[in-house]
Amino acid sequence: MNLYNMKASKILKRTVYLLTATGFTFHATSHSDFLPFPLFPDKIKAGIDGIVRSSRAISTITFTIADYKYSLYSLSVGSEDYLCKLSEVHLRSAKRILKLCEMNKGFYVKAGQFVAAIRQVPKEYSSTLLSLQDQAVPCDFKSIKEVLMSNLGQHLSEIFISLDEQPIAAASIAQVHHAILRGNQEVAVKVQYPGLEHKMRLDIAIMSFLSKTVTWIFPEYRFGWLVSEFAGTISLELDFIQEAKNSEKTAENFKNNEMVQVPHVFWDFTTSHVLTMQFCKGCKVDDLDSLKEIKANPIKVAKALVEVFAEMIFVHGFVHGDPHAGNILVSSEGRNGFSLVLLDHGICKTLDDTFRVDYCRLWKALILLDSDEIKHLGEQFGIGQYSRYLPLIFTGRSIDSKSVLGAGMSAEERRKVKQELVSLTVADISSFMESLPPNFLAVLRIDGLLRSIVSKLKAPQQIRLLAYGKYALYGLAPKSNLKSDFAIDVVFARFKTTFSYLHLRIILEVLQLLSWMRKVKQLLHRLLGEIIGIARSVLTLSSSDVL
């Protein structure tokens, strides 16, 4: 070992020892009942709680760093042994981080959910952290009541005829209570947990510190983009006034769409920490048993869901940024037998119009497999050499694929792609994610969440691909100004968009037909071969009998 490597090894060991010592200092305080919290004022309790939470995070990441460093030591990168061991370490580390999120709660749960929704992280992390989606411990109603009274400035009996103390939903930053206002309106009251701003600043500072520490020790593991994106996202969720405005903007965008419901906001009883909105009934969008009870076809629900979000992304440029199943209900009311209720508009993304148009062009190119256009748009997005992986990420095909959209890859294509992906290093993946514009990261996460729901509804992914292609064309159509443009121009623009979509649809159907014909041809060849084989056997037996 040369002098440089010896020094690096010593620095690493000292860092690991230091971080581990910091973690162990408070490791014994992992359980909140260890500390005599009732003896301290609130500010001191909050400070001690912050230290405990931070120490847990530091010790967890320290153990994880050591696990990666020493489990993979001396293994050849890319070898079968290395990949097998790497998967084992990923799984152990994911379970370790899951436990951290469950113990620290709050923003750590939210961060875990955020990571689980990104398909580009190792599958061991996304599948393990997915369990955080439905994990949230409600806050004691006494604390909730204090938040309500301090924000609304009145005694609760003056505002509500009734207010259920038991929440109907609980998440990582707020919980929701069913209530009836004095005007007899049935409402859902969303109440933010107390003291979140302070916790957010501390937790994100620790996450940033840990991210930089990991990068210092493992330069190829760079997670600054993830912490930055999460910090920006979570800060949006803490302002319920902004969430209410987002809700109203979404409602306005879909005012002519009977398939979409957005709860009405009661502004007199809404503040930055309390959001009072219309109570809407419905079942979770991925609850197959409940969908069956209300006679809603899961395939039609999946189609409506992806079309609604495709319209947001490709046409409106204003999109609900957190479409997990808990935020989307299916109501039995609607012209087609059901409608979608969109909840929780805290994370809404306004897409830059240049990005929106380029993203529309990308999806048109992805569906038609226009590799030159895909590469050109990759340059526009700033991902250069990694643009060849965009078809794989979004449509499950390689950039040189000849397979039908939605049909997956052939065995030969899968083999080539696997070889190509094995050559990618962690540094390559980090570089790719770092180079993505914030808007692209947002739509990537949204797409991942939608794909998960479509899969749970047992709907073919081709529904999603076709919806994206359709609305990408709508998004590329010139926006007509009905006040100044001639009516003939408006009609022509609509006709042109419809014709482009029909052209695209015909191409897809022809490709599907050709694929089906190839399969039939292969089947006939196989059957003919079997018939010839049987005939030869019969002739051989007959010849034997004659002899």
Side-chain angles (χ1 to χ4, degrees):
M1 184 182 289
N2 61 37
L3 184 61
Y4 174 80
N5 286 337
M6 288 178 66
K7 286 182 178 179
S9 178
K10 286 181 180 179
I11 291 172
L12 170 64
K13 287 179 180 178
R14 287 173 185 168
T15 304
V16 170
Y17 293 154
L18 177 62
L19 288 173
T20 306
T22 307
F24 276 129
T25 302
F26 291 97
H27 195 69
T29 66
S30 292
H31 302 285
S32 58
D33 55 357
F34 175 86
L35 292 169
F37 275 7
L39 299 179
F40 296 111
D42 288 344
K43 286 186 178 180
I44 296 178
K45 283 195 288 185
I48 295 175
D49 178 59
I51 294 172
V52 171
R53 286 154 58 83
S54 301
S55 68
R56 285 196 201 114
I58 291 171
S59 59
T60 297
I61 299 303
T62 299
F63 285 124
T64 299
I65 290 172
D67 196 358
Y68 274 99
K69 191 68 179 178
Y70 295 109
S71 295
L72 302 176
Y73 182 72
S74 78
L75 293 178
S76 178
V77 177
S79 66
E80 193 171 329
D81 287 345
Y82 176 88
L83 295 175
C84 183
K85 183 63 70 175
L86 181 63
S87 179
E88 291 175 9
V89 181
H90 280 335
L91 186 58
R92 280 200 304 270
S93 302
K95 288 179 178 178
R96 208 177 282 127
I97 290 172
L98 173 64
K99 186 178 179 182
L100 168 67
C101 294
E102 289 173 337
M103 294 183 74
N104 273 7
K105 302 182 178 63
F107 294 107
Y108 284 85
V109 171
K110 200 71 184 176
Q113 293 171 348
F114 192 84
V115 171
I118 299 174
R119 297 174 66 87
Q120 285 63 48
V121 300
K123 64 181 185 297
E124 292 86 355
Y125 281 89
S126 55
S127 58
T128 301
L129 297 176
L130 197 62
S131 64
L132 291 170
Q133 203 65 67
D134 297 315
Q135 287 190 21
V137 179
C139 184
D140 181 75
F141 186 72
K142 181 182 177 183
S143 299
I144 294 297
K145 187 177 179 180
E146 289 175 2
V147 174
L148 283 168
M149 291 181 66
S150 64
N151 275 266
L152 301 181
Q154 301 176 60
H155 194 277
L156 299 186
S157 61
E158 297 175 27
I159 303 170
F160 305 105
I161 293 175
S162 66
L163 174 65
D164 292 347
E165 294 189 8
Q166 190 66 28
I168 55 175
S172 51
I173 67 167
Q175 62 191 50
V176 181
H177 292 260
H178 177 268
I180 298 176
L181 293 174
R182 279 290 170 190
N184 284 316
Q185 299 100 331
E186 192 175 10
V187 295
V189 185
K190 183 176 179 180
V191 188
Q192 192 174 123
Y193 301 136
L196 281 186
E197 287 92 342
H198 175 73
K199 282 185 178 180
M200 181 190 74
R201 286 194 294 271
L202 179 61
D203 288 348
I204 288 177
I206 290 296
M207 290 177 193
S208 179
F209 164 73
L210 292 173
S211 167
K212 290 173 182 175
T213 302
V214 170
T215 302
W216 179 55
I217 298 172
F218 296 104
E220 66 273 25
Y221 285 85
R222 301 190 297 277
F223 299 113
W225 61 270
L226 185 58
V227 175
S228 176
E229 184 66 15
F230 172 69
T233 299
I234 201 67
S235 61
L236 295 175
E237 280 202 272
L238 294 184
D239 185 357
F240 286 0
I241 294 287
Q242 187 58 51
E243 179 177 344
K245 290 178 181 178
N246 292 341
S247 174
E248 290 193 332
K249 184 170 182 177
T250 303
E252 176 64 22
N253 286 342
F254 285 103
K255 65 182 178 183
N256 297 320
N257 189 332
E258 296 181 5
M259 186 56 69
V260 179
Q261 288 187 52
V262 179
H264 169 73
V265 176
F266 290 84
W267 281 103
D268 289 344
F269 310 109
T270 293
T271 69
S272 58
H273 296 95
V274 175
L275 173 56
T276 304
M277 54 199 154
Q278 173 191 359
F279 180 82
C280 294
K281 295 178 181 178
C283 64
K284 287 174 68 172
V285 69
D286 64 349
D287 186 342
L288 291 173
D289 291 335
S290 296
L291 290 178
K292 188 176 180 180
E293 285 179 15
I294 64 172
K295 298 179 181 178
N297 185 317
I299 306 296
K300 290 183 178 179
V301 169
K303 184 174 183 293
L305 175 69
V306 293
E307 288 201 343
V308 164
F309 276 85
E311 185 173 341
M312 288 189 206
I313 295 169
F314 296 105
V315 181
H316 301 162
F318 183 76
V319 57
H320 187 302
D322 197 19
H324 66 75
N327 287 340
I328 304 164
L329 303 181
V330 178
S331 168
S332 58
E333 300 173 1
R335 190 177 64 181
N336 298 315
F338 72 90
S339 58
L340 300 175
V341 183
L342 304 182
L343 306 174
D344 196 348
H345 299 261
I347 304 175
C348 279
K349 201 81 174 176
T350 300
L351 303 178
D352 173 76
D353 204 53
T354 301
F355 170 83
R356 183 191 63 78
V357 171
D358 283 345
Y359 193 65
C360 289
R361 290 170 58 200
L362 173 64
W363 267 95
K364 183 179 178 182
L366 286 171
I367 288 175
L368 299 177
L369 264 185
D370 184 344
S371 56
D372 290 337
E373 177 74 348
I374 291 169
K375 290 173 183 175
H376 170 70
L377 289 166
E379 294 290 341
Q380 297 279 90
F381 291 127
I383 58 177
Q385 60 176 321
Y386 302 111
S387 59
R388 64 179 292 98
Y389 299 110
L390 291 175
L392 189 63
I393 291 170
F394 286 114
T395 66
R397 298 187 294 178
S398 68
I399 197 164
D400 303 314
S401 176
K402 303 301 178 189
S403 63
V404 178
L405 187 69
M409 291 182 283
S410 65
E412 178 63 18
E413 282 179 303
R414 200 175 289 111
R415 184 185 64 79
K416 286 182 179 178
V417 168
K418 188 176 180 180
Q419 286 180 339
E420 197 172 341
L421 292 179
V422 165
S423 67
L424 288 177
T425 64
V426 174
D428 288 324
I429 296 170
S430 294
S431 179
F432 169 69
M433 297 305 289
E434 280 180 324
S435 61
L436 289 175
N439 283 336
F440 207 112
L441 278 171
V443 295
L444 203 59
R445 180 173 179 271
I446 292 164
D447 182 58
L449 289 166
L450 291 175
R451 288 167 81 165
S452 176
I453 294 173
V454 169
S455 178
K456 287 179 182 177
L457 291 172
K458 304 187 187 310
Q461 286 295 334
Q462 195 160 2
I463 283 177
R464 162 184 156 270
L465 300 175
L466 200 55
Y468 281 12
K470 174 182 177 179
Y471 282 92
L473 290 175
Y474 287 162
L476 287 171
K479 288 185 169 60
S480 302
N481 186 335
L482 295 176
K483 292 181 180 179
S484 60
D485 290 353
F486 290 110
I488 189 69
D489 293 336
V490 176
V491 173
F492 179 73
R494 289 177 180 170
F495 172 77
K496 187 178 177 182
T497 300
T498 303
F499 180 79
S500 296
Y501 171 66
L502 289 174
H503 176 241
L504 187 66
R505 183 69 187 259
I506 289 168
I507 289 173
L508 293 175
E509 294 297 340
V510 169
L511 289 173
Q512 190 71 53
L513 178 62
L514 289 173
S515 175
W516 179 79
M517 288 173 67
R518 279 196 295 270
K519 288 179 182 177
V520 169
K521 185 178 178 181
Q522 290 169 359
L523 178 62
L524 289 174
H525 274 298
R526 191 166 63 250
L527 287 174
L528 185 60
E530 290 176 1
I531 291 169
I532 292 172
I534 292 169
R536 283 175 177 168
S537 299
V538 170
L539 288 172
T540 302
L541 289 172
S542 298
S543 299
S544 300
D545 291 341
V546 170
L547 293 172

